[in-house]
Amino acid sequence: MRKLYFILTLILTAPALLAQPQKFLEGCDLAAAGGKSVAETAVGMGRVFLGKPYVPHTLEENQTEQLVVNLNQFDCTTFVETMSALSFAWHELADKKNTAQLETLFRKYLTKVRYRNGQIDGYGSRLHYFSEWLRDNERKGLLQDITPLLAGNVTVSKPLSYMTTKTFRYPAMNDPAVYKQIAQIETSLSQEPFAFVPKKNLRKAEADLRDGDIVMLSAARPGLDMKHCGFVIWQNNRVHLLHASSDHGRVVITSQPLTDYVLAKKHLSGIRVARFRTGTSLLTAKK
């Protein structure tokens, strides 16, 4: 009887508990996370969220495309986007104690980072492929693709088709208009050559990397450009990866150096790297 009463109590009180909204960044100490640069702050912010659970597909749950803000769970992409947006917002904010203004700036930056031209216009406006994500955010003045500057880089091109051949993973692709839009994006990206560092050359490139650089790990499989992403973090004179890990089920720092991590995974072929740009107000940069 006591067990039944306990279960009923949980059922009756669960809606009330779920209905209580969590305040923006409640319980997070960001003062110590802020650095001198956006890149340094991104690493500091990432450390704040160490241990947060890895949960995939959190952006695919809404029937209509809208900005999803989730500071409690991440996949690799939402982790990179969220930490980047928080860092941009932190450096633009004059009053670091003004949480309401920080949230407003954060949402604006998250929209700018996540969507083509910084505008939400349906499912197809989200930057699904990291090749386009990098290209668009470089054009907007937020990032610089530094891969062509790294030792051991090579220039290649790769046909992309993952989303149009794996439509069961993306419910929105059932809409013919969305399917057509994504197919056009794949065709465009497939025709663009890009620089990447093959895994056999990673050790050569390590010295050129800095804390807070965004590392995109390229996929070995056909049809897909990038498989994973995270931030560079130097530890014990080697580059490691700060990332939301599906293997560990949470946000972690790799125990092994980045080079060893990539070499150990057959589904990864190498890396591309982006570096944060800085400016007076990146929100007013090109759309």
Side-chain angles (χ1 to χ4, degrees):
M1 180 63 72
R2 289 181 180 178
K3 184 175 182 181
L4 177 61
Y5 176 79
F6 177 71
I7 293 173
L8 287 172
T9 301
L10 285 177
I11 293 173
L12 291 172
T13 57
L17 293 173
L18 291 173
Q20 296 178 0
Q22 184 180 30
K23 293 182 180 179
F24 181 68
L25 294 174
E26 186 176 29
C28 295
D29 181 15
L30 298 187
K36 295 180 181 179
S37 66
V38 173
E40 187 177 329
T41 300
V43 171
M45 296 287 184
R47 285 184 177 277
V48 170
F49 291 91
L50 282 171
K52 288 289 185 179
Y54 176 97
V55 178
H57 312 306
T58 57
L59 304 186
E60 305 294 326
E61 297 176 353
N62 298 310
Q63 291 186 348
T64 59
E65 188 68 23
Q66 56 189 277
L67 183 68
V68 174
V69 175
N70 188 339
L71 299 173
N72 296 312
Q73 52 195 25
F74 305 95
D75 62 24
C76 64
T77 303
T78 59
F79 179 70
V80 166
E81 290 179 335
T82 301
M83 297 308 111
S84 298
L86 274 174
S87 302
F88 283 131
W90 179 262
H91 281 270
E92 182 141 334
L93 187 66
D95 180 5
K96 306 299 186 188
K97 296 181 180 180
N98 191 331
T99 307
Q101 189 176 359
L102 177 62
E103 181 177 5
T104 298
L105 283 171
F106 163 70
R107 287 176 174 272
K108 289 180 179 178
Y109 271 115
L110 187 59
T111 302
K112 184 157 189 171
V113 167
R114 183 173 288 167
Y115 290 94
R116 188 178 303 107
N117 302 320
Q119 300 291 326
I120 301 175
D121 185 19
Y123 184 82
S125 66
R126 199 193 321 156
L127 299 165
H128 297 277
Y129 280 102
F130 248 106
S131 293
E132 188 186 16
W133 187 93
L134 176 54
R135 180 183 68 182
D136 195 71
N137 281 296
E138 184 172 36
R139 187 181 59 78
K140 288 181 292 200
L142 299 177
L143 302 170
Q144 177 189 2
D145 182 359
I146 65 163
T147 316
L149 307 177
L150 300 178
N153 83 85
V154 298
T155 300
V156 298
S157 59
K158 185 176 185 180
L160 301 183
S161 60
Y162 186 81
M163 291 185 69
T164 52
T165 56
K166 302 288 185 180
T167 55
F168 64 92
R169 294 182 180 273
Y170 309 98
M173 295 285 283
N174 292 323
D175 183 336
V178 172
Y179 183 95
K180 181 179 179 180
Q181 185 177 10
I182 297 299
Q184 290 173 340
I185 292 167
E186 288 178 343
T187 299
S188 174
L189 294 174
S190 297
Q191 297 170 352
E192 291 188 6
F194 60 89
F196 95 115
V197 179
K199 62 196 316 182
K200 66 179 181 179
N201 295 340
L202 283 186
R203 195 69 172 90
K204 299 177 184 177
E206 261 194 37
D208 297 326
L209 303 181
R210 301 176 187 172
D211 274 342
D213 283 345
I214 298 172
V215 178
M216 291 149 281
L217 287 69
S218 52
R221 68 178 299 163
L224 183 62
D225 55 350
M226 308 297 165
K227 182 68 176 176
H228 193 52
C229 60
F231 294 102
V232 165
I233 183 167
W234 279 87
Q235 291 190 159
N236 300 318
N237 298 316
R238 293 294 304 275
V239 169
H240 291 249
L241 189 68
L242 169 60
H243 64 137
S245 168
S246 59
D247 291 340
H248 293 278
R250 63 188 186 277
V251 176
V252 298
I253 299 171
T254 54
S255 58
Q256 55 193 153
L258 175 65
T259 296
D260 299 340
Y261 175 85
V262 176
L263 286 172
K265 295 186 178 295
K266 293 181 179 180
H267 63 274
L268 300 176
S269 61
I271 66 169
R272 296 179 70 180
V273 183
R275 183 163 291 164
F276 288 108
R277 291 185 183 274
T278 56
T280 305
S281 176
L282 293 172
L283 277 176
T284 59
K286 290 185 293 184
K287 291 184 177 181

